[in-house]
Amino acid sequence: MFAFLLIVQTLIASSLVAVILMQRSEGGGLGVGGSSSGFMTARGAADFLTRSTAVLGGLFIVLSITMAAIAGATRQPVKIDTSLAGKLTPSQQQTQPVPAQPSQAPATNPQQNQQAPAVPLAQ
């Protein structure tokens, strides 16, 4: 339902942009001249474009509010899967520190043989 409304919203938005761009800034509407009678005279075109702009703008606003209400009503809380919390990936298993073998030479400083614990990098 939401995807359908999103497509309709996109079509209305593109139609609204097209109708606005067709209007003349002086109010002439499409800039057509010609005979004074008929539907698409300069005044008739301006009236049509003004009305269609108002209708499309109203539809755009109503549809935006409706979609916001639908999105807010169907929102579900975020679920966090904790079943994999204690398991390591194969790349993390390979980088686990290997216990240090005692060296054959006597150590003058016992802290030199100790390795810092390996901390896996953030992914």
Side-chain angles (χ1 to χ4, degrees), residues 60-85:
F60 185 84
I61 291 172
V62 168
L63 196 55
S64 296
I65 293 171
T66 304
M67 288 174 56
I70 290 173
T74 59
R75 185 173 181 181
Q76 297 177 357
V78 178
K79 296 178 184 175
I80 299 175
D81 185 16
T82 59
S83 63
L84 300 175

Side-chain angles (χ1 to χ4, degrees), residues 37-118:
S37 64
F39 174 69
M40 288 309 259
T41 61
R43 183 166 178 83
D47 290 342
F48 172 73
L49 291 174
T50 303
R51 287 186 188 132
S52 59
T53 301
V55 169
L56 287 172
L59 286 173
F60 185 84
I61 291 172
V62 168
L63 196 55
S64 296
I65 293 171
T66 304
M67 288 174 56
I70 290 173
T74 59
R75 185 173 181 181
Q76 297 177 357
V78 178
K79 296 178 184 175
I80 299 175
D81 185 16
T82 59
S83 63
L84 300 175
K87 297 181 181 178
L88 296 175
T89 62
S91 63
Q92 289 176 336
Q93 289 174 356
Q94 292 173 357
T95 60
Q96 290 296 321
V98 178
Q101 297 294 328
S103 63
Q104 302 295 10
T108 57
N109 189 354
Q111 292 178 353
Q112 289 177 348
N113 287 341
Q114 293 178 354
Q115 292 181 347

Side-chain angles (χ1 to χ4, degrees), residues 1-10 63 66-67 70:
M1 173 79 174
F2 190 80
F4 173 73
L5 291 178
L6 188 61
I7 292 170
V8 172
Q9 177 85 349
T10 305
L63 196 55
T66 304
M67 288 174 56
I70 290 173

